[in-house]
Amino acid sequence: MKAIVDCNNFYCSCERLFKPHLDHKPVVVLSNNDGCIISRSDEAKALGVEMAGPYFKAKPLIEKHDVAVFSSNYNLYGDLSWRVMETLRSLVGKQNVEVYSVDEAFVDLSIFPPEELQAIAMQIRETVEQWTGIKVSVGVAPTKVLAKAANCLAKKHKHKTNCVVVLDTKDKIERALAATPVGDIWGVGGRYAHKLQEEWFITDALQLSKMSEEFARTHLGGVVGARLIRELKGIPSKEMEDELVSKKMIATTRMFGSPVDNINDIKEAVATYTSRAAEKLRRQHSAARIISVFVVTNEQDHSLGFNRGGTISTYTTLPVATSFTNELIKPAVTLVDELFKEGKLYKKAGVMLSGIVPDASIQGNLFLPETKNCERRLMDMIDNVNFSQRNDVLKFAASGTTRDWKMRQELRSPRYTTRWEELYEVK
DNA sequence: TCTGGGGTCCTAGGACCC
DNA sequence: TCTGGGGTCCTAGGACCC
């Protein structure tokens, strides 16, 4: 049996942790650039504030009900996420936890006897809350997809379930599936949900679970769909994954605070994003060969859907994979020349690193010239200083110093747990 | 006039996730 | 006026190989 442990309204819960007066009050957290709403407390949901809706549209409602609003504070969320995951690891063993996202982890419970699952799940929920202050929901079932469905129900009926649902019999599974609309199934997105309902009159998960694998193979995206159906039928087809897999792609992309028409601003932004991406690369001890850069003009039309149109991109392949910021910045900035057109307004840019391989320069490498090994030590030093001090105390000149293009983040709360100067004070 | 069969690698794009 | 920022896997089709 597997469990999915999912933090409730994670970003909002993090904000509340240090502002107890906001308990039971509506809270929302905004995306970067204060663009849209990416986390809502239960109270905010009840008011009708929409998920992923643009902030400016929800503003009247938010002001009317005095909703507390925060810019996203990823330092804080990242640290609290780590605490939650550490708690899980200490409860069930490191090797049985698969961190799935910042606020979710799968937990392999096969080491526990079936009759104890309910109690174990409850203990996980209570311990995480006690140790970190973060409330979680736990769904337990034979497969990941069913566990996600269980979790969804646990959240939907908080009071009845105490945020824990265990699906350990055929009967419980069927009832749970019947109560799950197809669109709520993990792995069925908007497109497939629409198709299933319109073309096949399949509206709930129980109906879908009775379809054949062949059906899924032809109508739900091939082997992905087939696996989904198997999981719904209770046959594990998405196994627990190894924790320490390196990312195959690393991206850093941002909207600008306001549109930019100057190529140098874009180059500075791209250099900064490249530094970020290179840090992520070094953190997982990788190097990259392919670097792509894209820019988005403000011709992008949101009425057509989120990311449609206006994006142009290009890439270059380096002769040798590298994780050195300076070696990545140069080609990245050169790519901007290819993309930039005078007279247009740009609202976003991004850098993506791929062609990722293990870093050969780590720990001093006999086969590299000594200058390379020095550069490696320089990179480590920069990473250490930037991590322990303030972000970007040390940066490359190409990143610029004025940063006219940087994003808006007006409502960010202090980084209580990761910056000394912003520590929470008890009076 | 007739023009195989099998394989690999790469890329673009579509679907999904949080 | 103002709409994030990451990721994953899979498929189809083209280039190329023998």
Side-chain angles (χ1 to χ4, degrees):
Chain A
M1 297 285 275
K2 301 185 178 85
I4 177 90
V5 180
D6 189 325
C7 303
N8 301 345
N9 314 327
F10 184 54
Y11 295 170
C12 284
S13 305
C14 294
E15 295 294 346
R16 265 185 183 159
L17 208 49
F18 296 91
K19 303 178 195 70
H21 65 280
L22 292 177
D23 280 353
H24 312 295
K25 298 248 169 65
V27 177
V28 299
V29 173
L30 305 179
S31 65
N32 271 328
N33 221 32
D34 296 344
C36 39
I37 293 161
I38 52 172
S39 181
R40 306 161 298 159
S41 71
D42 287 343
E43 298 77 11
K45 288 177 194 170
L47 288 174
V49 178
E50 271 180 55
M51 182 58 173
Y55 176 42
F56 73 91
K57 271 193 188 164
K59 220 166 179 175
L61 190 63
I62 284 174
E63 283 170 357
K64 185 175 162 201
H65 293 96
D66 200 24
V67 178
V69 181
F70 297 97
S71 299
S72 33
N73 182 347
Y74 293 108
N75 290 287
L76 178 65
Y77 312 150
D79 185 57
L80 290 171
S81 168
W82 179 81
R83 295 180 191 197
V84 170
M85 301 310 171
E86 278 299 296
T87 306
L88 294 179
R89 287 190 263 259
S90 80
L91 286 173
V92 298
K94 198 173 179 254
Q95 68 290 350
N96 293 315
V97 177
E98 175 199 333
V99 177
Y100 176 69
S101 75
V102 69
D103 67 335
E104 281 176 65
F106 286 103
V107 176
D108 191 340
L109 295 180
S110 46
I111 50 171
F112 300 104
E115 64 276 10
E116 286 178 20
L117 290 174
Q118 180 76 34
I120 295 288
M122 201 60 88
Q123 192 201 340
I124 289 176
R125 187 185 76 67
E126 283 164 6
T127 311
V128 172
E129 187 175 346
Q130 249 177 45
W131 291 7
T132 68
I134 299 289
K135 290 194 167 77
V136 298
S137 300
V138 186
V140 181
T143 69
K144 284 184 170 180
V145 170
L146 290 174
K148 286 284 264 186
N151 191 286
C152 197
L153 290 169
K155 276 209 168 72
K156 224 180 251 178
H157 309 287
K158 273 190 185 134
H159 300 294
K160 220 174 92 188
T161 62
N162 226 333
C163 291
V164 171
V165 166
V166 179
L167 301 178
D168 50 2
T169 66
K170 187 163 181 276
D171 185 52
K172 284 186 199 168
I173 291 173
E174 290 202 347
R175 271 185 290 150
L177 291 182
T180 304
V182 269
D184 285 1
I185 302 170
W186 186 50
V188 178
R191 285 220 155 63
Y192 286 151
H194 183 80
K195 188 170 152 183
L196 286 169
Q197 289 169 49
E198 295 303 308
E199 289 178 31
W200 305 92
F201 309 105
I202 295 172
T203 56
D204 66 53
L206 184 59
Q207 288 171 290
L208 185 61
S209 74
K210 296 195 165 139
M211 303 304 286
S212 69
E213 274 179 55
E214 256 329 291
F215 170 84
R217 222 177 275 280
T218 36
H219 302 290
L220 284 179
V223 304
V224 181
R227 276 206 286 262
L228 179 72
I229 294 269
R230 288 168 64 85
E231 288 259 317
L232 280 177
K233 292 180 193 297
I235 309 160
S237 306
K238 293 166 176 274
E239 291 307 326
M240 296 291 292
E241 271 166 36
D242 210 343
E243 269 288 272
L244 298 166
V245 250
S246 296
K247 300 219 185 325
K248 297 166 182 168
M249 183 203 86
I250 286 172
T252 302
T253 73
R254 294 280 182 283
M255 301 272 303
F256 302 138
S258 50
V260 158
D261 62 358
N262 176 334
I263 190 167
N264 289 321
D265 284 347
I266 297 181
K267 284 184 175 178
E268 279 185 18
V270 163
T272 305
Y273 303 162
T274 306
S275 307
R276 270 285 103 72
E279 275 172 26
K280 295 182 197 170
L281 198 59
R282 293 193 290 269
R283 207 177 304 147
Q284 67 167 41
H285 309 302
S286 299
R289 267 198 83 188
I290 300 171
I291 172 160
S292 356
V293 172
F294 71 84
V295 292
V296 182
T297 66
N298 68 348
E299 291 157 355
Q300 186 180 65
D301 184 353
H302 292 286
S303 62
L304 295 176
F306 213 68
N307 289 321
R308 300 257 180 251
T311 304
I312 37 171
S313 69
T314 182
Y315 69 91
T316 185
T317 304
L318 305 173
V320 184
T322 180
S323 66
F324 297 159
T325 303
N326 53 327
E327 291 181 354
L328 290 163
I329 281 184
K330 270 177 223 158
V333 168
T334 307
L335 290 173
V336 175
D337 286 313
E338 282 179 41
L339 296 174
F340 182 81
K341 293 224 170 39
E342 199 70 50
K344 286 191 190 279
L345 272 176
Y346 296 87
K347 61 176 188 182
K348 180 177 184 176
V351 174
M352 283 187 264
L353 303 177
S354 52
I356 288 176
V357 296
D359 191 342
S361 75
I362 290 171
Q363 293 297 323
N365 187 320
L366 278 181
F367 302 100
L368 290 174
E370 184 53 22
T371 52
K372 276 282 165 202
N373 287 327
C374 281
E375 278 187 75
R376 175 75 223 179
R377 286 194 287 275
L378 175 65
M379 289 298 143
D380 289 344
M381 192 197 78
I382 290 176
D383 289 345
N384 283 332
V385 171
N386 281 340
F387 180 75
S388 60
Q389 305 294 316
R390 188 160 52 79
N391 275 344
D392 296 337
V393 166
L394 294 181
K395 65 191 173 204
F396 286 79
S399 303
T401 48
T402 52
R403 304 201 174 185
D404 294 334
W405 42 268
K406 78 172 191 297
M407 65 180 180
R408 289 191 297 263
Q409 222 188 20
E410 289 156 3
L411 308 164
R412 202 194 67 209
S413 53
R415 289 164 287 191
Y416 301 111
T417 62
T418 55
R419 289 291 182 276
W420 284 112
E421 63 276 19
E422 296 175 15
L423 261 187
Y424 189 60
E425 287 175 28
V426 181
K427 301 198 172 84

